[in-house]
Amino acid sequence: MKKVILSATVLLAVFFTQASVGKKTELIKLTPSEVMAKVVADPVAAIPSDDALCTVTLKGRIDLGPIEAEVSCTTSANTCEAATVSALSCLSAALRTVRTVIL
Amino acid sequence: MKKYLIIWCCIMHTAAMAQQTTMYTYEGKFNSSFGRGDNYREFRGTLIVSGDRSLFTMKETGVHLPPVQANNLELRPDSMFTVFKDIESNSLLFEFSDMNQRTHLFADTLFPMDWKTSEEQRSIGGISCLKAVTQFKGRRYTAWYAPSITVPDGPWKLGGLPGLILEAYDDEDNWHMTYVGKQEVHDFDQDHFLSAIKNGIEGFPAFAAYVKKIFKRLEAALGAQSTANCVDCQTKSVVKFHSWEKID
């Protein structure tokens, strides 16, 4: 079974922001100040896999200047699409968690 | 009469010198992906020196485009590396902005660096400088200081050399500040910092504990999140922390 690993800092927003919304960059205002969550999409071609097991890793950064937290979500699924959607869901949940902490 | 006039002149001169406040301006860069990649941004640093007290801070300049292949939650404050120093009371305070954009002050040791000086010379802005290197909080820094400017200070927490540091950078060039000019300014607001010193302030170990606590909570929250939207999926989330200053 061939395992395709997609390092996907990328694929992520693709499905949601670019495909459905038609925007490349989504800005989510977190507070009245200048705090913004930036989800940047850059489409990357998924490598087709005959045997269908696909692993996708999405990374996000929480930048506090001299201190940074790096969050990565790695998902394995039968299809790359399912893996991407799930990894994206994981990363979105991570960002939501941070927003909850903030707000 | 002449004697009193001389004394008066001396007093006035001393008073004038005591009130003199100079702002040294630096330009440079900071790579917030230090040690892991390139995410350089340009900054302008200002070091305002008034007598034995100084305030350094650096603000981002220019337009920054976020890295294309990344998901960033940018919570960085608009001023970074902010440090207040008071040589007379041997105090150093630094700011930390949390995820709520709230600013916290912590104390640190004033000029603990063990500088290794050399005779190597170069000119910065037409001012002759000497080279010194040191190891500080997990990084090796190089400083070029001007013996002709008798201010034992410098950008961020650096200082303690026999002259103002006009250029400083770490070995990997993730952080770099270079002097570009100076001007006389009005005094800066010191009350905020002085009252913090007076009321007592926690030190670097407390800062380290505070940062660890924040990220532990974050880690626990992220680890507990559900991925129930995909039955066949296996998801693992990992949180890594990176700090410019080494936190044990």
Side-chain angles (χ1 to χ4, degrees):
Chain A
M1 185 177 274
K2 189 177 178 184
K3 189 176 181 181
V4 179
I5 296 179
L6 294 177
S7 187
T9 334
V10 219
L11 268 181
L12 94 95
V14 183
F15 288 90
F16 288 148
T17 52
Q18 199 169 25
S20 59
V21 184
K23 288 180 180 176
K24 261 199 163 183
T25 303
E26 184 186 356
L27 297 176
I28 306 160
K29 195 153 191 174
L30 297 175
T31 70
S33 65
E34 296 176 345
V35 183
M36 308 284 271
K38 298 179 182 175
V39 180
V40 183
D42 183 30
V44 164
I47 303 167
S49 168
D50 296 335
D51 298 310
L53 184 61
C54 187
T55 299
V56 172
T57 298
L58 298 179
K59 284 186 180 177
R61 296 166 60 242
I62 300 161
D63 184 353
L64 293 172
I67 289 175
E68 186 182 277
E70 193 178 270
V71 185
S72 67
C73 290
T74 304
T75 300
S76 297
N78 288 333
T79 65
C80 289
E81 186 179 352
T84 304
V85 169
S86 189
L88 179 58
S89 170
C90 167
L91 201 58
S92 299
L95 295 180
R96 274 200 305 274
T97 302
V98 176
R99 280 198 292 171
T100 306
V101 173
I102 295 166
L103 301 174
Chain B
M1 183 64 189
K2 189 179 174 185
K3 188 175 145 190
Y4 288 117
L5 191 63
I6 291 170
I7 292 170
W8 183 81
C9 283
C10 288
I11 291 170
M12 289 309 290
H13 180 258
T14 307
M17 289 301 287
Q19 287 169 2
Q20 190 177 0
T21 302
T22 308
M23 182 172 80
Y24 299 91
T25 305
Y26 298 80
E27 284 180 358
K29 60 183 181 178
F30 176 60
N31 175 21
S32 62
S33 294
F34 46 88
R36 289 153 289 137
D38 292 345
N39 188 16
Y40 284 96
R41 299 191 191 183
E42 292 176 358
F43 285 85
R44 170 169 290 132
T46 53
L47 176 68
I48 305 173
V49 180
S50 179
D52 279 343
R53 293 169 184 157
S54 71
L55 179 67
F56 177 82
T57 194
M58 56 184 224
K59 290 179 185 286
E60 199 173 329
T61 57
V63 178
H64 174 77
L65 297 173
V68 175
Q69 296 187 343
N71 308 298
N72 299 331
L73 194 57
E74 298 199 9
L75 303 173
R76 58 167 65 185
D78 68 347
S79 299
M80 290 172 29
F81 287 77
T82 303
V83 171
F84 173 78
K85 306 183 194 99
D86 182 6
I87 295 172
E88 191 184 343
S89 67
N90 199 34
S91 305
L92 183 150
L93 305 185
F94 65 99
E95 276 188 1
F96 170 67
S97 179
D98 66 15
M99 289 195 294
N100 247 323
Q101 301 275 291
R102 279 184 305 226
T103 300
H104 303 265
L105 280 177
F106 291 94
D108 205 352
T109 311
L110 182 70
F111 306 148
M113 304 94 191
D114 182 19
W115 291 102
K116 306 279 183 245
T117 55
S118 72
E119 295 304 310
E120 200 175 332
Q121 284 189 30
R122 62 179 273 233
S123 173
I124 298 169
I127 304 166
S128 180
C129 293
L130 292 170
K131 186 180 179 183
V133 294
T134 191
Q135 190 79 22
F136 178 60
K137 298 267 169 69
R139 292 179 194 279
R140 193 175 137 92
Y141 294 91
T142 298
W144 292 89
Y145 66 98
S148 60
I149 306 174
T150 54
V151 177
D153 211 330
W156 187 46
K157 295 182 179 179
L158 303 183
L161 284 163
L164 181 67
I165 296 172
L166 296 188
E167 185 165 336
Y169 46 88
D170 68 297
D171 264 11
E172 294 170 350
D173 211 29
N174 286 307
W175 175 77
H176 199 132
M177 282 281 122
T178 306
Y179 166 82
V180 291
K182 70 169 185 174
Q183 64 183 105
E184 300 307 314
V185 293
H186 293 296
D187 205 357
F188 63 99
D189 182 13
Q190 304 173 13
D191 294 345
H192 171 57
F193 301 102
L194 294 175
S195 65
I197 293 171
K198 192 179 171 187
N199 295 334
I201 193 161
E202 293 187 296
F204 195 83
F207 162 71
Y210 181 73
V211 170
K212 283 181 190 171
K213 187 179 158 191
I214 289 178
F215 286 131
K216 220 159 205 171
R217 277 178 52 201
L218 190 62
E219 200 168 33
L222 297 180
Q225 69 195 13
S226 166
T227 55
N229 61 325
C230 176
V231 179
D232 298 327
C233 299
Q234 289 183 328
T235 299
K236 186 185 174 189
S237 63
V238 177
V239 187
K240 287 182 182 173
F241 304 109
H242 308 279
S243 174
W244 178 249
E245 293 179 87
K246 189 181 176 187
I247 295 176
D248 294 326

